[in-house]
Amino acid sequence: MGGSNSRCCAGEEVANEQEVGCKPVNSLVKEEVVQESPAVAAIPAVPAAPPAPPAPAAPSTSSPTKVGDEFTVEIVKGVGEKAKLGIDVDLTDGIALVVDQVNDGLIDDWNKDHPDLAINKFDRIVEVNGKRGSANDITEVCKNDTTLVMKVLKMKK
């Protein structure tokens, strides 16, 4: 393979030569044997486990971290004094109930039991039992329904 004939099996020049330090190109093609691989049975793929279903919606138990966070409060009204929410609200924005004051009642009880999710002055009750967008409609739901699932928008820390 030394000298001027050291172009072993590379390029078009070798294809035209009979032998240049290696087997001729034509011989390589003829001598090349392709072995067939044995048939491999198809192995069915193991199906992936279905994704876990999302957790059911429940009242939020985490603390709103900043102004503008919305959280859920569930209140079950009783009878007599136990039916009183105990909040003064402002309806003038027309869309939500803006809390003016929290008095004795179910909301104050909620606040004592859930200080991290307390409803405070300036917070906005934006939805009750799926009713949203009308302060008057939200007020009617609060008066008439026994269980109240409220969406509250935190407005001030």
Side-chain angles (χ1 to χ4, degrees):
M1 292 216 352
S4 65
N5 290 338
S6 62
R7 295 180 251 160
C8 183
C9 304
E12 293 178 288
E13 297 170 345
V14 175
N16 295 329
E17 296 180 12
Q18 289 294 320
E19 191 169 347
V20 185
C22 61
K23 294 182 182 177
V25 173
N26 291 342
S27 295
L28 282 176
V29 174
K30 290 179 186 175
E31 289 179 21
E32 192 173 315
V33 176
V34 177
Q35 291 183 340
E36 292 184 25
S37 59
V40 177
I43 300 173
V46 177
S60 175
T61 57
S62 63
S63 174
T65 57
K66 62 185 181 300
V67 171
D69 283 350
E70 192 173 283
F71 60 99
T72 303
V73 173
E74 183 172 339
I75 303 290
V76 178
K77 298 189 312 188
V79 292
E81 285 297 309
K82 291 293 183 183
K84 190 172 128 183
L85 291 179
I87 55 174
D88 297 333
V89 296
D90 182 356
L91 308 175
T92 57
D93 106 334
I95 297 171
L97 309 181
V98 179
V99 178
D100 277 336
Q101 185 171 337
V102 178
N103 306 306
D104 287 337
L106 295 172
I107 299 295
D108 188 45
D109 293 345
W110 168 270
N111 287 351
K112 289 174 184 169
D113 292 340
H114 305 89
D116 57 330
L117 294 173
I119 298 174
N120 299 307
K121 184 173 181 157
F122 303 117
D123 287 348
R124 298 166 52 92
I125 301 171
V126 296
E127 179 182 311
V128 178
N129 295 351
K131 186 63 78 177
R132 191 178 194 92
S134 166
N136 289 327
D137 290 348
I138 294 171
T139 300
E140 288 304 308
V141 172
C142 288
K143 288 179 184 176
N144 298 323
D145 291 5
T146 303
T147 300
L148 305 176
V149 178
M150 303 176 164
K151 301 281 183 164
V152 180
L153 184 64
K154 181 56 74 182
M155 297 306 293
K156 190 174 182 181
K157 281 292 208 183

